[in-house]
Amino acid sequence: MSTEARPATPVREVTERLSATPRGARLARRLARYHLDGWGIAYDTELSDAAEAVVAELAANAVTHGRVPGRDFELCLTLFADTLRVEVTDTRTERRPPKEPEPPSPEGESGRGLVIVAALAAEWGVAGREVGKTVWACLRLDTGAQKEG
């Protein structure tokens, strides 16, 4: 995980504020696919599927671990010439994800989200904020969602 800076000029960007509920997390996933399709990243392509999985995991974590009652979470998708950046912001400052996620035990019922994000993203990380945090992941457009070697 690096402290990757944002690339220079976005081609497209959308930000959605959603309720910090399971319904809000499901809506984040659906909205991501909808916007990506509108940007020319068709449904059921490798990149669309990877982006959906990343959004689903980060939104679920925001709702499960980053929820503060009465506060929403935010989804931001930014399309650059060669990268799709997914950001999910919640309002819980003290609960930060580990820098290196470890796979859970095979019989564990949770704990796979960041392992999935790390596997799909070229890079990912956490940015602190005055209130809360932003967990981000970058997916490369030219190689689908393959990690850099």
Side-chain angles (χ1 to χ4, degrees):
M1 181 169 62
S2 76
T3 56
E4 182 263 349
R6 283 183 173 219
T9 307
V11 176
R12 306 262 187 185
E13 185 171 44
V14 64
T15 301
E16 302 277 356
R17 184 160 283 215
L18 303 154
S19 65
T21 63
R23 183 177 182 188
R26 284 191 306 272
L27 183 56
R29 179 180 52 83
R30 288 180 172 207
L31 285 169
R33 284 195 87 136
Y34 170 80
H35 288 296
L36 294 177
D37 186 60
W39 296 346
I41 300 170
Y43 286 99
D44 296 326
T45 61
E46 184 179 355
L47 180 58
S48 179
D49 291 346
E52 179 184 27
V54 167
V55 168
E57 296 302 338
L58 295 184
N61 283 350
V63 167
T64 304
H65 305 294
R67 183 175 184 275
V68 173
R71 299 285 180 105
D72 296 336
F73 75 94
E74 189 173 270
L75 168 68
C76 180
L77 302 172
T78 308
L79 181 63
F80 297 94
D82 63 349
T83 304
L84 172 66
R85 184 177 172 102
V86 175
E87 297 178 352
V88 174
T89 301
D90 65 53
T91 54
R92 198 89 186 253
T93 304
E94 75 281 5
R95 299 201 63 188
R96 296 176 67 91
K99 289 183 180 185
E100 297 295 329
E102 291 187 28
S105 66
E107 55 277 340
E109 293 184 17
S110 64
R112 290 170 179 78
L114 290 177
V115 174
I116 292 169
V117 171
L120 293 173
E123 51 188 330
W124 72 279
V126 182
R129 299 167 38 103
E130 190 171 319
V131 175
K133 65 188 167 300
T134 299
V135 182
W136 56 266
C138 291
L139 302 170
R140 302 284 183 228
L141 302 184
D142 59 347
T143 58
Q146 299 295 315
K147 288 184 82 153
E148 292 181 326

